Each structure stands twice: as structure tokens, then as C-alpha cells.
Amino acid sequence: MSEFTSHVRSLERSRAARNRQDRPATFELGGRTWDLLDDVFAPPFSRSTAVSMDLLGLTGTPAPRTGSFLEMGCGTGVIAVSAALAGCDRVTATDINPQAVANTALNARRHGVADRLRTVHGDLFAALAPEERFDTVYWHSNFVLAPADFTYDTLHDRAYVDAGYRAHEGYLAEAPDRLTPGGRALLHFSTRGDLGLLRSLAGRHGRALRLLDSRVDPEGTETVEHLLFEIRATAADAGPTGAASP
Ligand SMILES: C[S@@+](CC[C@H](N)C(=O)[O-])C[C@H]1O[C@@H](n2cnc3c(N)ncnc32)[C@H](O)[C@@H]1O
């Protein structure tokens, strides 16, 4: 494992971001002000949320949106709230970190979209009703791989590393099944993650990854490439009718 992809290094970044004396109570992103609660992934200390917004076309004057949007791992809720502001009429935001769920609810109220943005606390899709479907399912993930036996000291660390890629595996398996006809399951990953393992987990669940877009982003002396994947059900996983997802 290189320093670049090291989970130890990512955990150092997590702890620094969590404990910084200058951690603000509010921050600016995409021309708006956002609340930031303790123990929640802090967009001011990582450029990846801004890159995520860019990959989704939610920066500047976003293209008008319609339909339903599920944000997995919502953090402060910047992406979910921005999707609602862009016109998505039913937004669901969920996170394993209860502070992130509270933070997203706060930002939904701050920006006047609480009537169409629902917050849910849970591990991946666990807190959603089994029949719930969405036009877009999106996760800006904790893409750095930690060993399978890694145990988390803080909820904040869950924003940075995924032990044994268990959360990624669960997301790859279930996200395409949570779509309306014609819907899209998306994953924001990066070259800090283990792309070979991600592809192999996708294959194990009958999923294929299609690269839709990418952004090269300098981080200090390093360069990270952010990758936007669509997760598709493969023909082998098309079910008894043989009708693969679009
Ligand atoms: C990189 S952060 C992104 C936060 C926010 N979406 C943003 O862009 O600023 C990843 C998020 O995924 C959440 N997460 C990690 N594992 C999860 C799981 N098993 N179920 C739901 N959310 C999870 C983390 O708590 C964290 O908020």
C-alpha cells in the first residue's frame, strides 16, 4: 500500500479535521452558507465535497432537476440540499452518523427545503422501506480501504475509511435495486481508493462500473483523481425476465 492510499494517513487527516481549533460552525460552499456540527465530515477541510458538487452539476447555476434523489452518507447535507434547491421534488438523505443526519436537517431548514427533504439515520439502506425507489441514488463515499478487522474510534472516521469495503460492497449490491425504471445509481470514488477491489466486488454482485466523469484535483504535493461511476446491473444479473437495467 502506498502512502497515498494508506488508511493510516487518512485517519490522521480525519483526526486533524475533527479536532482542529479553527473548525468553523458555518462555512461557505457553492455560494451558500452551511452549518457544520461536531463529528461531521467537514467540507472546508477537504475539497472532495466541492468536487462532488461539480461532478453532479450542482455548482454555479445548476441545471433544473426533477424527480427523486437519495443521498447516501449525507454529512452536512450540502449535496442533498443542493439537489432539492435545483428542483428535485423528493430528496432523502441518510447517514450512519446521527450527527450528520441532524446536520443535514439543520441545513435543509436553513435553506427552506425541509418540506421536500427527509433525513434518515441508518447503515446504508437499512432505514428505508423495502419498496422505496429513487431516480438518482448517489454516494460520495469513504473511499479509502481499511483492513477488514479495523474498528472505528469515532463516527467521524467513518467518513474517511471503509473497513474491508463492507459499506462499498453493500452499496454496490443494493443501489441498482433501489432505482425507478431509467434511474441511475452513482458513486463518487477516487484514486485514493482500491479500484481493483471495487471492480471485483461489483462483479461478485453482478454489477458493472461505468466511468461517467472525472476531475483531477491537486491536494498539497499530491494529485487525486475523483471518479464518478455509474453502477449498472449486468446482463448476468438481469433476473428471470432477462431484462437488464438500462
Ligand atoms: C466522504 S463523506 C461525504 C459526506 C458528504 N456527502 C459530503 O460530500 O460532504 C462519506 C459519508 O458517508 C457516511 N457513511 C459511511 N459509512 C456509511 C454507511 N455504512 N451507511 C451510511 N453512511 C455511511 C459517513 O458517515 C460520511 O458522512
Side-chain angles (χ1 to χ4, degrees):
M1 183 198 302
S2 74
E3 274 287 287
F4 184 64
T5 58
S6 153
H7 75 283
V8 175
R9 193 124 160 252
S10 259
L11 289 167
E12 282 166 9
R13 288 152 52 92
S14 169
R15 283 153 202 176
R18 179 174 183 262
N19 300 324
R20 274 173 74 141
Q21 295 299 313
D22 62 346
R23 195 177 153 98
T26 61
F27 63 95
E28 303 291 317
L29 185 62
R32 296 190 170 95
T33 303
W34 306 90
D35 290 296
L36 173 65
L37 297 183
D38 290 347
D39 266 324
V40 179
F41 183 79
F45 302 145
S46 161
R47 286 196 22 85
S48 62
T49 307
V51 174
S52 220
M53 297 271 283
D54 186 31
L55 285 167
L56 284 175
L58 288 172
T59 40
T61 307
R65 304 288 171 104
T66 54
S68 53
F69 184 98
L70 170 66
E71 188 186 10
M72 181 59 60
C74 50
T76 52
V78 170
I79 293 168
V81 170
S82 298
L85 289 168
C88 289
D89 42 35
R90 185 169 64 87
V91 177
T92 301
T94 185
D95 205 295
I96 199 164
N97 177 350
Q99 277 284 96
V101 176
N103 204 152
T104 297
L106 201 55
N107 279 318
R109 287 197 294 278
R110 175 188 269 275
H111 292 291
V113 297
D115 58 335
R116 53 192 185 280
L117 191 157
R118 175 178 64 129
T119 52
V120 182
H121 173 227
D123 185 357
L124 294 176
F125 302 89
L128 303 179
E131 68 281 3
E132 280 189 85
R133 298 290 179 273
F134 304 88
D135 299 319
T136 305
V137 174
Y138 182 75
W139 189 21
H140 163 206
S141 75
N142 49 356
F143 33 67
V144 173
L145 176 66
D149 60 357
F150 172 78
T151 49
Y152 293 92
D153 284 342
T154 67
L155 283 165
H156 192 271
D157 290 346
R158 286 191 182 270
Y160 281 77
V161 304
D162 182 12
Y165 270 3
R166 276 191 293 279
H168 281 79
E169 183 168 6
Y171 185 74
L172 290 166
E174 190 162 353
D177 294 339
R178 288 291 186 162
L179 298 176
T180 54
R184 295 218 291 188
L186 304 173
L187 174 67
H188 171 179
F189 198 72
S190 101
T191 47
R192 285 195 190 278
D194 186 332
L195 190 49
L197 179 57
L198 187 78
R199 285 198 188 281
S200 127
L201 291 172
R204 190 182 296 172
H205 291 276
R207 308 309 191 199
L209 297 175
R210 188 162 77 101
L211 184 64
L212 296 181
D213 206 348
S214 64
R215 296 285 183 281
V216 173
D217 197 51
E219 270 188 19
T221 56
E222 295 169 339
T223 300
V224 184
E225 190 171 3
H226 293 266
L227 309 164
L228 180 66
F229 286 110
E230 180 179 6
I231 305 164
R232 296 167 71 106
T234 62
D237 192 50
T241 63
S245 298

